[in-house]
Amino acid sequence: MAAGDLTVLQFSTQSTANLTAKVHPLVIFNICDCYVRRPDQAERVIGTLLGSVLPDGTVDIRNSYAVPHTESAEQVALDIEYHHNMLVSHQKVNPKEVIVGWYSTGLGVTGGSALIHDFYSREVPNPVHLTVDTGFRNGEGTIRAYVSVNLSLGDRQLAAQFQEIPLDLRMVEAERVGFDILKTMAADKLPTDLEGMEVTMQRLLALIDDIYKYVDDVVEGRVAADNSIGRFISDTVAALPKLTPPAFDKLVNDSLQDQLLLLYLSSITRTQLGLAEKLNTAAQIL
Amino acid sequence: MAASSTARSFLQVAATEEVISPLRVVQIEGLVILKIIKHCKEFSPALVTGQLLGLDVGSVLEVTNCFPFPIREEDEEIEADGANYQLEMMRCLREVNVDNNTVGWYQSTILGSYQTVELIETFMNYQENIRRCVCIIYDPSRSNQGVLALKALKLSDSFMELYRANSFTGEKLREKNLSWVDIFEEIPIKVSNSALISAFMTELESDTPVTQCDYDRLQLSSNPYMERNMEFLIECMDDLSMEQQKFQFHYRSLSRQQAQQQTWLQKRRAENMARKAAGEDPLPEEDPTNPIFKPIPEPSRVESFLITNQIANYCNQINGVAGQSFNRLYLMKSLHDN
């Protein structure tokens, strides 16, 4: 080795500086389901992540599927043909979803993971590795995402380092369905419109109560005033459109009348249907 | 070995038929719901379908997984492709220990307009191979209002028998006392989740007291949705009136034919009397070759039943949304007063 040049261990961080990953709740459901169904001798589940890369560089992970693999102390073997078959099938339905990485259950990154990561980096330039801790080892289910960064010494490649990237769990879809349904082990029935409305209104009421209490506390000096919150509250209250009471009443009454009219129309239609039914089947040619 | 009085011989057991307990509940996993929602939403407003996999246990039909179907073009070659895709998916899923049993299919719909003859045909196709199958309908446009519009449907047994016999005359229907409500049976849905996923969801649940679902529900503008509903309703009424006109036409032609038959019969009788007076043999009083004796086929009532079903569905939806709107309007009113 030539003396004199100081060789520095380089971490190439520029490419990963802005990389973040977004995970949809379906992926987590998929992973958990595959983990629960894994064959008895396997300790963890490995699979492919599908999604797309958004224009601002974030990796959007939308779907996943498990890939059967065999693992021993020294080596890991992945069923590549299965992986390709599933990929082709999935792309028939949604050609926009491409491979963006792979996942494995378990807390940390193990030695075998580097090999698998190598395999995936042949398919995709910069695969994301997602780990989902199904064992709840830290007392909570940690979900982490990594990318591989090359450590090079001068011109030589030393090793690859798994660097963690920020992960964004977009639970919006799960919220839409309702956490009550997804959280419990058995929900007896899906909520109807009016029941859902009731729940929402209760939540709104609770929020309004909280704000009321907070404002009261601040006014009486029990709680230190936070200017930003105060400004926020005043903005919200000011967002109510300023209508004179008669104009507002007219607006509300008009909408009420529209809805009542529709309700009346639908009741008439149903009555008509009942009558038509009786006439049609009861009529006989004598 | 002498069989005791309580034990039954193998032959006896094989001879007794299994009593099929009626389907009472469809148990879906949260995973399936999310998958269906994702698939339907991505391709809306196009209508998509997919296959349901699961187990048939007693009076509960468990749906544990599903996979989507690619959008099929109208081409003969692609038919074989579609079957291949299905086999491939089922084989791959079997390797990861997913239940390999088809229990039905799901499809998306717009504003609840799913009652078509194709649905019935698909049901009959599935019913030939599987003892119990169910169809899950998801409505993405309604779910934007904050309601999870998921329904599990099954054809009622009496309707299936009639359909197989392909006889939908008024008499048969009156015999079986079948009306348009009896075509589809809606089965209540139960949701179940594994313990692992329930632990994850409990942890990942956001701490905010208000969720996206609530924002959707409290939206004040339901007018576009109602307008579309009314448009569909009006179109359906047009269709229904067309069907009724067909019936009227049929009745009119039937009565005309009967009148014609009567006059012909009278003429024959007069002729016969004249012949008897002349001593010749009387002619038969029936003439099957005469076209006025040809029976006129009665138009099938399936279409009108389906349309009636659809109209009822729209009316129900309007009622539901109107109820929600009332709540919101009164809420707004009281907030403003304060």
Side-chain angles (χ1 to χ4, degrees):
Chain A
M1 190 150 113
D5 295 316
L6 271 173
T7 49
V8 177
L9 199 62
Q10 293 170 346
F11 293 89
S12 56
T13 51
Q14 60 271 38
S15 58
T16 59
N18 306 327
L19 199 64
T20 51
K22 274 197 213 167
V23 174
H24 288 237
L26 177 61
V27 176
I28 306 200
F29 266 84
N30 251 335
I31 298 179
C32 288
D33 185 61
C34 293
Y35 181 76
V36 170
R37 288 176 189 274
R38 72 191 187 288
D40 289 328
Q41 63 272 25
E43 257 193 35
R44 59 178 187 159
V45 184
I46 295 185
T48 315
L49 293 171
L50 299 172
S52 59
V53 179
L54 300 177
D56 63 355
T58 1
V59 178
D60 193 22
I61 305 178
R62 282 204 289 265
N63 206 347
S64 69
Y65 58 83
V67 178
H69 72 105
T70 46
E71 203 169 346
S72 63
E74 301 94 27
Q75 55 169 344
V76 186
L78 209 59
D79 193 344
I80 301 185
E81 197 190 319
Y82 180 92
H83 159 78
H84 276 303
N85 281 342
M86 281 294 256
L87 181 66
V88 164
S89 300
H90 275 255
Q91 291 206 314
K92 275 201 196 138
V93 178
N94 204 343
K96 285 190 243 154
E97 281 184 3
V98 292
I99 304 183
V100 292
W102 64 289
Y103 70 82
S104 91
T105 58
L107 185 50
V109 180
T110 64
S113 309
L115 296 166
I116 307 183
H117 201 86
D118 209 23
F119 162 69
Y120 275 97
S121 47
R122 267 177 260 141
E123 315 243 344
V124 165
N126 201 1
V128 173
H129 173 44
L130 194 72
T131 56
V132 176
D133 183 17
T134 47
F136 282 76
R137 244 166 280 178
N138 286 344
E140 54 171 30
T142 35
I143 305 180
R144 292 225 178 94
Y146 302 94
V147 275
S148 135
V149 171
N150 284 327
L151 298 177
S152 51
L153 190 63
D155 287 332
R156 284 192 333 199
Q157 283 268 2
L158 261 192
Q161 183 208 31
F162 276 107
Q163 207 178 51
E164 193 176 337
I165 59 177
L167 190 61
D168 180 20
L169 291 168
R170 305 187 76 244
M171 292 279 138
V172 175
E173 289 138 17
E175 283 181 7
R176 277 233 166 87
V177 175
F179 269 110
D180 313 321
I181 300 185
L182 295 175
K183 220 178 22 171
T184 58
M185 285 197 27
D188 272 332
K189 62 187 191 75
L190 300 178
T192 65
D193 326 348
L194 294 181
E195 284 171 13
M197 203 64 195
E198 207 182 314
V199 168
T200 304
M201 291 209 286
Q202 280 174 355
R203 288 210 192 117
L204 191 60
L205 202 57
L207 275 181
I208 295 183
D209 277 340
D210 281 343
I211 296 185
Y212 222 66
K213 224 163 29 115
Y214 174 76
V215 170
D216 272 345
D217 286 344
V218 167
V219 163
E220 303 206 356
R222 278 194 289 253
V223 170
D226 189 351
N227 280 340
S228 55
I229 296 188
R231 244 174 262 138
F232 209 67
I233 296 182
S234 70
D235 277 343
T236 319
V237 174
L240 286 174
K242 295 258 177 308
L243 296 169
T244 59
F248 183 78
D249 277 340
K250 183 168 181 320
L251 204 63
V252 170
N253 284 335
D254 280 348
S255 310
L256 270 179
Q257 283 179 346
D258 285 341
Q259 304 289 339
L260 282 171
L261 181 66
L262 288 176
L263 213 60
Y264 176 63
L265 192 62
S266 73
S267 314
I268 279 195
T269 318
R270 299 189 67 142
T271 326
Q272 158 70 17
L273 286 181
L275 279 177
E277 175 60 31
K278 286 278 177 299
L279 285 175
N280 272 339
T281 47
Q284 318 180 35
I285 301 292
L286 296 165
Chain B
M1 184 167 85
S4 63
S5 56
T6 50
R8 301 193 304 193
S9 73
F10 180 70
L11 210 56
Q12 279 179 318
V13 175
T16 51
E17 271 185 30
E18 258 180 60
V19 175
I20 304 177
S21 49
L23 182 58
R24 271 186 227 296
V25 142
V26 172
Q27 189 170 305
I28 307 189
E29 290 215 355
L31 172 67
V32 176
I33 295 186
L34 276 181
K35 269 192 170 173
I36 295 181
I37 294 182
K38 169 178 183 283
H39 185 218
C40 296
K41 232 191 194 138
E42 267 178 7
F43 287 95
S44 119
L47 301 180
V48 290
T49 55
Q51 183 98 301
L52 295 172
L53 307 165
L55 290 170
D56 185 3
V57 181
S59 68
V60 176
L61 189 67
E62 292 186 20
V63 180
T64 51
N65 214 325
C66 67
F67 61 83
F69 284 146
I71 303 215
R72 198 137 31 120
E73 279 118 71
E74 306 295 327
D75 198 350
E76 274 313 311
E77 300 178 346
I78 317 259
E79 286 284 333
D81 261 359
N84 276 344
Y85 169 82
Q86 223 172 324
L87 288 172
E88 188 68 31
M89 274 306 258
M90 307 250 306
R91 192 179 61 84
C92 289
L93 286 175
R94 180 81 199 93
E95 282 190 37
V96 277
N97 287 338
V98 175
D99 297 323
N100 209 5
N101 222 2
T102 314
V103 290
W105 82 101
Y106 67 85
Q107 65 184 61
S108 71
T109 172
I110 302 192
L111 281 184
S113 60
Y114 53 83
Q115 290 97 339
T116 57
V117 187
E118 284 96 22
L119 186 67
I120 301 189
E121 300 268 321
T122 324
F123 251 117
M124 301 307 287
N125 278 340
Y126 268 91
Q127 201 72 18
E128 283 170 21
N129 300 330
I130 318 173
R131 208 178 58 173
R132 262 220 288 246
C133 69
V134 78
C135 171
I136 296 200
I137 309 267
Y138 176 68
D139 191 350
S141 50
R142 192 135 176 265
S143 297
N144 286 342
Q145 307 272 323
V147 177
L148 185 57
L150 207 63
K151 251 202 268 216
L153 284 184
K154 185 175 95 80
L155 278 188
S156 66
D157 296 327
S158 39
F159 180 76
M160 275 198 299
E161 285 171 25
L162 270 188
Y163 196 76
R164 273 199 203 116
N166 216 2
S167 59
F168 273 114
T169 56
E171 286 209 19
K172 285 261 168 59
L173 291 169
R174 232 171 300 129
E175 253 174 57
K176 299 254 183 171
N177 212 4
L178 194 70
S179 84
W180 56 267
V181 275
D182 295 326
I183 299 188
F184 294 111
E185 254 178 58
E186 193 178 324
I187 309 177
I189 297 183
K190 223 166 70 141
V191 180
S192 79
N193 289 308
S194 68
L196 182 62
I197 198 66
S198 140
F200 262 104
M201 281 296 128
T202 318
E203 192 193 306
L204 293 174
E205 185 184 4
S206 49
D207 286 328
T208 60
V210 179
T211 60
Q212 181 66 32
C213 185
D214 298 317
Y215 289 135
D216 286 339
R217 276 193 206 127
L218 286 177
Q219 245 183 22
L220 277 178
S221 84
S222 58
N223 281 346
Y225 179 76
M226 289 292 242
E227 279 170 23
R228 281 182 73 193
N229 228 336
M230 293 306 286
E231 272 179 37
F232 280 31
L233 187 65
I234 294 176
E235 277 177 26
C236 259
M237 293 305 277
D238 284 340
D239 288 339
L240 188 65
S241 66
M242 259 178 21
E243 289 286 319
Q244 299 205 331
Q245 275 179 6
K246 271 195 225 159
F247 273 117
Q248 284 189 350
F249 183 69
H250 168 80
Y251 281 138
R252 248 182 285 143
S253 48
L254 204 61
S255 53
R256 208 176 343 132
Q257 192 194 47
Q258 282 199 341
Q260 282 177 335
Q261 285 176 4
Q262 290 292 3
T263 46
W264 187 90
L265 203 59
Q266 283 179 348
K267 262 201 320 200
R268 256 305 155 83
R269 289 215 180 105
E271 253 187 69
N272 280 342
M273 296 234 285
R275 277 181 166 224
K276 228 192 308 186
E280 292 173 9
D281 291 323
L283 293 168
E285 290 201 342
E286 278 184 15
D287 188 3
T289 58
N290 203 330
I292 58 177
F293 279 105
K294 201 163 53 157
I296 307 182
E298 194 177 326
S300 161
R301 292 177 188 273
V302 182
E303 270 300 321
S304 63
F305 274 10
L306 286 174
I307 296 180
T308 322
N309 248 324
Q310 234 162 282
I311 296 184
N313 211 12
Y314 292 144
C315 290
N316 284 341
Q317 275 172 206
I318 292 183
N319 284 349
V321 177
Q324 278 191 330
S325 307
F326 282 142
N327 281 336
R328 288 194 284 256
L329 286 172
Y330 278 119
L331 195 64
M332 244 201 8
K333 199 160 176 209
S334 57
L335 272 179
H336 195 253
D337 286 340
N338 285 342

